[in-house]
Amino acid sequence: MEQIFLVKEDFNKLKLKVIENEGKEIIFSSNDDEFNRKVVEKLGISVLLLKEEGRRDYSKQRDSGFNQIMAREAAKKKVVIGIDLDEIVLSKEKSRIIARVRQNVELCKKFRIQMKFIGSKISKDSRELKSLGLVLGMPTGMTKKL
């Protein structure tokens, strides 16, 4: 299936691009949490790619860009949550990014949302991705579809 990457733009332009690329796997990415929520609720995207780098954690919790409200909406719309593999491998703050991804995995397990690794610079061997998914806390049913 052909993949289309879309990034944050004007909502109306994004809506037109989603409509013209209907039937393809649409991967959307943005650093704005409110905009991500609006896109998940209103547009028919396939994958929401969460960017974890550059976020600031609070004193008592991590800011992963994904919360229970977005998880509930993603479960209703059957949106897959994407993990940026390049960001994990190439980042200087790997431990914080992995901690945020693990938090997102727990939410996805709770709401039974499928997750997917997305990366362009790193080779993607299926056994390595399954192993990484298990280390991050994904259930075996979720890793079978990686």
Side-chain angles (χ1 to χ4, degrees):
M1 179 179 273
E2 189 178 347
Q3 294 181 340
I4 304 294
F5 284 92
L6 299 176
V7 293
K8 181 184 175 186
E9 298 178 7
D10 180 40
F11 185 76
N12 293 326
K13 290 179 185 176
L14 188 66
K15 186 176 179 180
L16 292 174
K17 284 187 180 181
V18 167
I19 290 170
E20 83 182 31
N21 291 310
E22 198 168 332
K24 299 176 184 174
E25 184 178 36
I26 299 172
I27 301 171
F28 175 73
S29 178
S30 169
N31 286 335
D32 187 6
D33 298 338
E34 293 298 320
F35 195 73
N36 285 345
R37 180 178 170 191
K38 185 176 180 180
V39 168
V40 168
E41 287 175 353
K42 304 214 184 268
L43 299 180
I45 61 170
S46 306
V47 179
L48 175 64
L49 181 62
L50 296 172
K51 297 287 187 179
E52 304 297 340
E53 197 169 27
R55 294 184 176 272
R56 294 194 54 153
D57 293 338
Y58 301 112
S59 61
K60 302 261 181 182
Q61 72 184 38
R62 292 181 183 92
D63 180 20
S64 67
F66 191 63
N67 54 26
Q68 289 185 344
I69 297 166
M70 285 182 61
R72 193 171 292 121
E73 286 297 320
K76 279 184 198 174
K77 305 283 184 171
K78 303 216 185 299
V79 175
V80 176
I81 302 301
I83 301 169
D84 192 359
L85 194 59
D86 297 335
E87 190 176 56
I88 293 173
V89 174
L90 303 174
S91 176
K92 293 180 182 175
E93 54 180 30
K94 285 183 176 82
S95 61
R96 289 187 177 152
I97 290 175
I98 289 174
R100 292 177 189 138
V101 169
R102 289 190 74 180
Q103 178 180 331
N104 292 342
V105 167
E106 292 300 319
L107 274 173
C108 288
K109 280 190 335 189
K110 180 178 179 180
F111 288 97
R112 295 190 177 130
I113 301 170
Q114 187 64 35
M115 295 187 88
K116 179 179 185 177
F117 288 109
I118 297 173
S120 60
K121 298 175 186 165
I122 308 300
S123 66
K124 298 178 249 180
D125 180 32
S126 65
R127 288 182 290 163
E128 291 177 358
L129 291 180
K130 288 178 183 180
S131 299
L132 178 61
L134 289 172
V135 167
L136 291 174
M138 290 182 185
T140 54
M142 192 182 292
T143 58
K144 285 181 183 176
K145 298 177 183 175
L146 289 177

